[in-house]
């Protein structure tokens, strides 16, 4: 993975964190941020944030 790829992933996850904290549906966040599906967001989010999107949203 190049620097640009990592930077883009971090940006997308940061956007997801903001939107999930605002109460948006996980499926809508995944779609709007260009993830291929909700499970792709779930895997990357868990790897970078150490929590699932649902757990993060409910915390």
């Amino acid at each position: 993975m190049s620097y640009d790829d990592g930077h883009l992933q971090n940006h997308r996850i940061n956007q997801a964190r903001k939107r999930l904290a605002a109460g948006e549906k996980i499926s809508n966040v995944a779609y709007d941020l260009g993830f291929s599906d909700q499970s792709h967001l779930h895997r990357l989010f868990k790897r970078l944030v150490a929590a699932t999107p649902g757990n993060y949203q409910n915390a």
Side-chain angles (χ1 to χ4, degrees), residues 20 26 41-47 49-59:
L20 291 170
I26 297 169
L41 169 63
H42 181 94
R43 284 190 307 273
L44 185 60
F45 196 94
K46 188 171 182 181
R47 190 177 79 206
V49 180
T52 65
N55 289 341
Y56 183 85
Q57 193 171 48
N58 294 326

Side-chain angles (χ1 to χ4, degrees), residues 5-19 29-37 40-41 44-45 48:
D5 292 339
H7 181 73
L8 178 59
Q9 286 182 346
N10 283 327
H11 177 73
R12 289 166 71 196
I13 291 301
N14 285 333
Q15 292 299 309
R17 289 172 73 168
K18 291 176 188 175
R19 294 175 68 170
V29 172
Y31 177 79
D32 290 346
L33 294 177
F35 289 94
S36 56
D37 55 33
H40 183 210
L41 169 63
L44 185 60
F45 196 94
L48 296 177

